[in-house]
Amino acid sequence: MAADDLDIQAAGNSVTISGERRIPAEGDNVRYHRREREAGKFSRIVTLPNGADMDKVSAGLTNGVLTVTIAKSEATKPRQISIK
């Protein structure tokens, strides 16, 4: 897939990934008995736990693999407490 075929939205405590998978034309003489991946539109919603920083969401697409990175908010990260 290409990056232009994907739409990623972060709102509230969820991330929505949607897009359209297209199969390139291979000619008139090509016929299939079965295809493992079909073409068409898709949408997935991933609900995140509380503590995700939705302002720090990034995505990358390398060799057809989508990677979405979501940072934890500073309030939920563990911090070291010194003993006095």
Side-chain angles (χ1 to χ4, degrees):
M1 295 190 72
D4 296 338
D5 296 334
L6 294 171
D7 179 39
I8 303 171
Q9 296 182 3
N13 65 340
S14 65
V15 174
T16 303
I17 301 170
S18 59
E20 185 172 1
R21 185 179 298 123
R22 295 185 180 103
I23 297 176
E26 298 180 17
D28 294 334
N29 297 333
V30 178
R31 299 175 104 195
Y32 292 98
H33 176 68
R34 180 181 174 110
R35 277 191 165 168
E36 292 295 321
R37 295 185 182 180
E38 291 297 323
K41 293 184 179 189
F42 64 90
S43 178
R44 301 290 183 271
I45 299 174
V46 179
T47 303
L48 303 171
N50 292 335
D53 190 357
M54 300 310 274
D55 293 330
K56 295 182 181 176
V57 177
S58 63
L61 186 67
T62 305
N63 295 329
V65 177
L66 176 66
T67 303
V68 179
T69 305
I70 303 165
K72 285 184 178 181
S73 66
E74 293 297 323
T76 60
K77 288 184 179 178
R79 57 187 174 108
Q80 183 69 33
I81 300 171
S82 63
I83 301 173
K84 297 181 182 180

